[in-house]
């Protein structure tokens, strides 16, 4: 079974893009005639979003305040579950994960990757042609912005194929998504670049062949040894776990390393680096693994307090355990005296991937928890990397023993020194090999983002603390390139409006860029995303703005933040500032085969700066 999702301004009976040509339907009919497969073409029609039979935005995923109060009420992911149940009951299907796939173009490509990641227990393989990169999903009133690149681990134990046309206008987003999938070993991933001049379905037979090969992969029906999953909904089921959220607010429930006897759970207001969602209660019910009405001792490590607590739970008649937890972060273990798990690496950085300064000796916060009910003995922890851009000292570290529930901080036992080049954040992966009881082995990895070299101060900077300013900003002109500078008046922040940081104020920071990515983007201003470890500063919001005329629904993410009321005057806060510039890159003489490029590429570029914010003056 292959479920196909069409793109914008289309319906299930065809995709009349461009000059009215059908994109996928004729090739799909020919393929089904000669192969033992059923293809279901989804209809993403949303009446309020279509101006006529074909012209409109499908799937009700545009979201955000501009979409109105009804945004997201047509939860197509729920309809997908109903459709799968219906098809399996009516047609002669093989009703298992191994033999079920999704595929789609553009917005439908987003739906293919999003739904297969939301329901990995239903879908074993997924493919996407030139997928739209980000849209809004989640329950009405609590929907969130969902960027595909932040959720590639939802496809652990799945097969994924990404196809981009060489002349596709949003190809940069596909290249970024490819990079993330390609370095996620839990995903069986392949990528195809088709020589074509526009946003289109190309090589459909080759992609359907990929799915037919997946249908032969029996391991797709195996239950995962462990899994990760992020979900924005108030109720969901994942691999037999039932999760519900009381007092649901916008944000994600994040599950990590879920396995029999152990799981990690926390929440984020936004991805990939949002703070926890406060004031919620998570109800997590396991599969029926624990026997009828048996009592277990539970170990609970709180990420908020850094302390371990114990309590008892009794399983249901069906053998399920139910946990009630806040969303601030927990590592939970079910103890029976027979566990043989290695020491658990605790979360390195609550915000996500650590941001590292180059050319300085650092000590990554490496802490390990014995999550078992027995003493762990003869432990060796070896930290290494295959990247030449990091030097590691102090490895390996030997530990004689670790008591049940004990946390050991090895941060100072290891040293790391990173180097980088110019440009954007630079990826580096570190690997841990944990040996315990002299022979049991366990391997895992974690990533860091290294700041570029050099990291200059911004050309000019404005602090908005409740005041209004009129700033020159750049806007693209249209699909054939070009752009212009226009004035934008903004009123942001909360404070005395004097343009200086003071204790208790909420601020945004704007920087001026002498030359943006577009040739016409000169001396324009940009609100920044802010990174810091300073204890006197808290990020208060992720601000998401449209990128001028972009057709992708991609947003520009920046920050507001608050200075703590007890911050001492004169305190200096070291910041890293990130802003994005973008361009419609029109190349009218570029050919792809015999065809000229149809529309401008939509490119973007991050720019990073360092800045010292002095509080109180």
């Amino acid at each position: 079974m292959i479920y196909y999702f069409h793109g914008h301004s289309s319906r299930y009976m065809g995709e009349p893009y461009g000059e009215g040509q059908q994109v996928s339907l004729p090739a799909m009919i020919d393929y089904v005639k000669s192969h033992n497969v059923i293809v279901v073409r989804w209809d993403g029609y949303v009446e309020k979003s279509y101006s006529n039979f074909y012209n409109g935005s499908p799937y009700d995923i545009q979201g955000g305040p501009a979409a109105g109060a009804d945004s997201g009420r047509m939860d197509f992911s729920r309809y997908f579950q109903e459709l799968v149940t219906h098809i399996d009951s009516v047609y002669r299907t093989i009703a298992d994960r191994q033999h079920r796939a999704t595929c789609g173009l553009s917005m439908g490509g987003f739906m293919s990757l999003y739904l297969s990641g939301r329901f990995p227990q239903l879908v074993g393989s997924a493919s996407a042609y030139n997928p739209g990169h980000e849209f809004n999903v989640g329950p009405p009133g609590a929907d969130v912005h969902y960027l595909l690149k932040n959720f590639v681990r939802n496809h652990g134990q799945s097969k994924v194929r990404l196809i981009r046309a060489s002349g596709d206008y949003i190809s940069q987003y596909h290249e970024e998504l490819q990079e993330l999938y390609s370095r996620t070993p839990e995903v069986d991933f392949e990528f195809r670049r088709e020589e074509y001049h526009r946003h289109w379905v190309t090589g459909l037979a080759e992609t359907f062949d990929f799915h037919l090969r997946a249908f032969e992969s029996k391991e797709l029906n195996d239950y995962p040894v462990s899994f990760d999953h992020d979900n924005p909904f108030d109720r969901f089921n994942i691999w037999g776990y039932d999760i519900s959220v009381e007092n649901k607010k916008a944000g994600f429930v994040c599950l990590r390393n879920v396995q029999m006897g152990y799981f990690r759970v926390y929440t984020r207001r936004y991805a990939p680096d949002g703070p926890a969602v406060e004031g919620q209660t998570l109800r997590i019910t396991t599969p029926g693994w624990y026997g009828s009405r048996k009592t277990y001792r539970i170990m609970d490590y709180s990420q908020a307090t850094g302390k371990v607590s114990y309590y008892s739970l009794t399983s249901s008649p069906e053998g399920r355990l139910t946990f009630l937890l806040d969303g601030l972060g927990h590592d939970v273990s079910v103890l029976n005296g027979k566990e043989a798990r290695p020491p658990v690496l605790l979360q390195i950085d609550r915000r996500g991937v650590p941001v590292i300064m180059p050319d300085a000796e650092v000590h990554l916060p490496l802490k390990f928890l014995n999550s078992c009910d027995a003493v762990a003995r003869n432990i060796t922890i070896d930290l290494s990397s295959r990247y030449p851009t990091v030097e590691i000292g102090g490895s390996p570290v030997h530990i004689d023993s670790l008591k049940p529930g004990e946390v050991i901080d090895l941060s100072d036992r290891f040293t790391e020194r990173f180097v980088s080049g110019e440009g954007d954040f630079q990826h580096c992966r570190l690997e841990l090999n944990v040996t315990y009881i002299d022979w049991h082995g366990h391997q895992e990895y974690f990533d860091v983002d290294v700041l570029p070299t050099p990291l200059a101060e911004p050309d000019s900077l404005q602090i908005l603390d409740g005041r209004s300013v009129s700033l020159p900003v750049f806007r693209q002109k249209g699909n054939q390139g070009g752009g212009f500078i226009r004035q934008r008046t903004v009123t942001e922040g909360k404070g005395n409006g004097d343009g200086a940081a003071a204790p208790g104020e909420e601020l945004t920071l704007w920087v001026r860029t002498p030359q943006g990515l577009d040739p016409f983007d000169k001396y324009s201003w940009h609100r920044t995303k802010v990174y810091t470890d300073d204890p006197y500063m808290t990020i208060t919001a992720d601000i998401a703005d449209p990128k001028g005329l972009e057709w992708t629904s991609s947003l520009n993410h920046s920050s507001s933040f608050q200075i703590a009321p007890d911050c001492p005057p004169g305190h200096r806060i070291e910041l890293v500032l990130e802003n994005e510039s973008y361009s419609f890159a029109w190349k009218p003489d570029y050919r792809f085969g015999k065809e000229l490029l149809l529309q401008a590429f939509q490119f973007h570029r991050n720019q990073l700066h360092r800045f010292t914010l002095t509080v109180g003056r």
Side-chain angles (χ1 to χ4, degrees):
M1 286 299 309
I2 301 175
Y3 291 85
Y4 179 82
F5 298 85
H6 63 76
H8 192 280
S9 296
S10 301
R11 299 289 299 276
Y12 66 94
M13 66 287 291
E15 291 155 313
Y17 277 23
E19 298 82 20
Q21 302 176 48
Q22 294 292 339
V23 178
S24 59
L25 186 56
M28 202 170 292
I29 292 172
D30 290 342
Y31 190 91
V32 170
K33 285 179 179 178
S34 59
H35 294 81
N36 187 23
V37 64
I38 299 173
V39 177
V40 175
R41 292 177 63 93
W42 184 270
D43 188 4
Y45 177 74
V46 179
E47 183 177 8
K48 66 183 176 65
S49 303
Y50 274 65
S51 59
N52 58 46
F53 187 79
Y54 272 122
N55 186 27
S57 179
Y59 308 120
D60 198 19
I61 53 175
Q62 292 290 359
D70 289 335
S71 171
R73 293 193 179 277
M74 296 184 67
D75 179 8
F76 274 73
S77 52
R78 177 165 52 86
Y79 301 152
F80 175 69
Q81 290 178 293
E82 294 175 357
L83 179 62
V84 167
T85 300
H86 172 73
I87 293 295
D88 286 341
S89 66
V90 173
Y91 294 91
R92 291 185 301 165
T93 67
I94 304 176
D96 60 21
R97 178 178 192 256
Q98 175 186 342
H99 295 91
R100 193 177 294 119
T102 59
C103 176
L105 165 67
S106 193
M107 287 182 76
F110 171 89
M111 292 298 288
S112 173
L113 295 178
Y114 161 60
L115 289 178
S116 57
R118 183 178 173 189
F119 303 117
Q121 67 272 31
L122 289 181
V123 180
S125 61
S127 60
Y129 287 93
N130 312 307
H133 185 59
E134 52 190 275
F135 294 96
N136 275 58
V137 299
D143 60 326
V144 290
H145 207 56
Y146 191 102
L147 288 75
L148 290 175
K149 68 178 183 180
N150 292 332
F151 304 102
V152 297
R153 294 176 72 92
N154 276 10
H155 281 114
Q157 295 81 42
S158 299
K159 295 181 182 293
V160 174
R161 188 173 204 258
L162 180 63
I163 313 99
R164 61 151 286 209
S166 54
D168 188 85
Y169 70 101
I170 53 175
S171 57
Q172 183 178 354
Y173 293 100
H174 308 147
E175 297 287 349
E176 293 169 353
L177 190 57
Q178 175 208 0
E179 180 180 349
L180 288 164
Y181 271 117
S182 66
R183 68 183 190 221
T184 304
E186 296 83 3
V187 183
D188 188 343
F189 173 69
E190 64 180 60
F191 177 76
R192 174 73 171 176
R193 182 180 183 269
E194 295 279 358
E195 189 71 6
Y196 204 72
H197 70 296
R198 65 190 303 180
H199 190 68
W200 209 258
V201 171
T202 51
L204 185 134
E206 187 178 300
T207 294
F208 278 15
D209 286 346
F210 156 79
H211 288 298
L212 263 61
R213 291 193 301 273
F215 294 166
E216 300 299 319
S217 301
K218 295 181 180 179
E219 69 274 9
L220 288 176
N221 277 336
D222 294 342
Y223 192 93
V225 175
S226 67
F227 67 87
D228 297 345
H229 186 74
D230 293 343
N231 198 296
F233 285 87
D234 52 349
R235 294 180 181 274
F236 61 95
N237 175 279
I238 178 73
W239 292 113
Y241 283 79
D242 288 317
I243 290 91
S244 63
V245 184
E246 298 176 13
N247 193 30
K248 181 70 173 76
K249 303 173 184 177
F252 295 90
V253 175
C254 306
L255 297 165
R256 294 292 181 269
N257 196 20
V258 181
Q259 56 188 275
M260 186 172 181
Y262 170 83
F263 63 87
R264 174 176 296 162
V265 63
Y266 54 91
T267 59
R268 287 197 192 284
R269 280 166 41 197
Y270 50 85
D273 54 2
V277 184
E278 298 183 358
Q280 295 185 155
T281 299
L282 312 182
R283 178 183 292 269
I284 300 175
T285 301
T286 71
W289 290 337
Y290 296 100
S292 180
R293 296 186 175 91
K294 291 188 176 181
T295 299
Y296 290 87
R297 190 164 175 249
I298 306 300
M299 178 191 297
D300 186 341
Y301 173 82
S302 168
Q303 296 173 15
T305 65
K307 296 181 179 179
V308 171
S309 61
Y310 293 88
Y311 52 90
S312 295
L313 281 182
T314 300
S315 61
S316 69
E318 298 77 26
R320 309 182 79 185
L321 292 173
T322 296
F323 300 85
L324 296 178
L325 303 166
D326 60 42
L328 303 183
H330 297 266
D331 287 72
V332 176
S333 303
V334 181
L335 305 177
N336 60 17
K338 300 178 181 179
E339 311 88 36
R341 285 186 299 276
V344 173
L345 174 65
L346 295 174
Q347 201 168 26
I348 294 176
D349 191 327
R350 177 62 182 80
R351 297 163 300 181
V353 177
V355 174
I356 306 296
M357 189 68 70
D359 302 316
E361 186 175 284
V362 297
H363 298 277
L364 292 170
L366 302 179
K367 299 179 181 180
F368 294 84
L369 164 71
N370 180 5
S371 65
C372 299
D373 207 17
V375 176
R377 301 185 185 278
N378 303 326
I379 305 164
T380 300
I381 298 177
D382 185 21
L383 179 66
S384 63
S385 178
R386 289 175 287 176
Y387 277 70
T389 52
V390 57
E391 293 181 359
I392 297 171
S395 187
V397 169
H398 302 282
I399 305 165
D400 290 334
S401 64
L402 202 59
K403 294 182 291 186
E406 183 180 357
V407 174
I408 187 168
D409 187 348
L410 300 181
S411 305
D412 291 338
R413 302 282 294 274
F414 297 102
T415 61
E416 303 85 24
R417 187 181 185 91
F418 298 86
V419 296
S420 64
E422 64 180 1
D424 203 348
F425 289 112
Q426 293 167 35
H427 167 77
C428 184
R429 173 162 292 172
L430 290 88
E431 298 168 344
L432 279 167
N433 184 33
V434 181
T435 305
Y436 57 108
I437 322 177
D438 285 336
W439 64 275
H440 285 284
H442 169 74
Q443 293 81 38
E444 63 181 293
Y445 66 87
F446 61 91
D447 297 332
V448 300
D449 284 337
V450 185
L451 290 165
T453 305
L455 191 62
E457 292 190 353
D459 171 75
S460 185
L461 181 139
Q462 296 257 19
I463 298 173
L464 272 64
D465 56 347
R467 66 192 182 109
S468 297
V469 293
S470 180
L471 300 171
V473 298
F474 174 72
R475 183 171 175 84
Q476 303 104 316
K477 189 174 182 180
N479 195 40
Q480 272 63 53
F484 56 92
I485 299 294
R486 65 173 184 172
Q487 291 296 122
R488 178 183 175 185
T489 299
V490 291
T491 304
E492 293 178 349
K494 298 176 183 178
N496 59 22
D498 65 355
E505 289 190 327
E506 184 173 312
L507 313 174
T508 62
L509 300 181
W510 289 68
V511 296
R512 186 174 67 178
T513 301
Q515 179 61 62
L517 180 60
D518 194 277
F520 294 92
D521 182 4
K522 300 181 186 296
Y523 291 99
S524 64
W525 287 82
H526 306 260
R527 190 193 302 109
T528 63
K529 183 177 177 69
V530 179
Y531 300 86
T532 187
D533 290 323
D534 195 283
Y536 289 107
M537 200 186 105
T538 302
I539 304 296
T540 55
D542 173 62
I543 304 172
D545 289 330
K547 297 182 183 181
L549 293 176
E550 271 216 9
W551 293 9
T552 62
S553 295
S554 294
L555 300 178
N556 186 13
H557 293 267
S558 54
S559 308
S560 64
F561 62 93
Q562 185 174 30
I563 307 296
D566 61 347
C567 180
H571 178 65
R572 295 164 63 87
I573 301 177
E574 299 298 329
L575 304 175
V576 172
L577 307 178
E578 177 186 19
N579 69 277
E580 187 176 53
S581 64
Y582 32 84
S583 172
F584 274 25
W586 176 234
K587 302 180 179 183
D589 52 348
Y590 270 43
R591 292 183 179 273
F592 297 86
K594 295 182 179 181
E595 301 287 347
L596 288 168
L597 180 68
L598 180 71
Q599 62 189 116
F601 291 104
Q602 296 181 10
F603 290 151
H604 53 275
R605 182 179 69 194
N606 284 344
Q607 295 172 290
L608 295 166
H609 310 277
R610 60 180 174 85
F611 181 71
T612 301
L613 181 70
T614 302
V615 178
R617 70 167 188 261

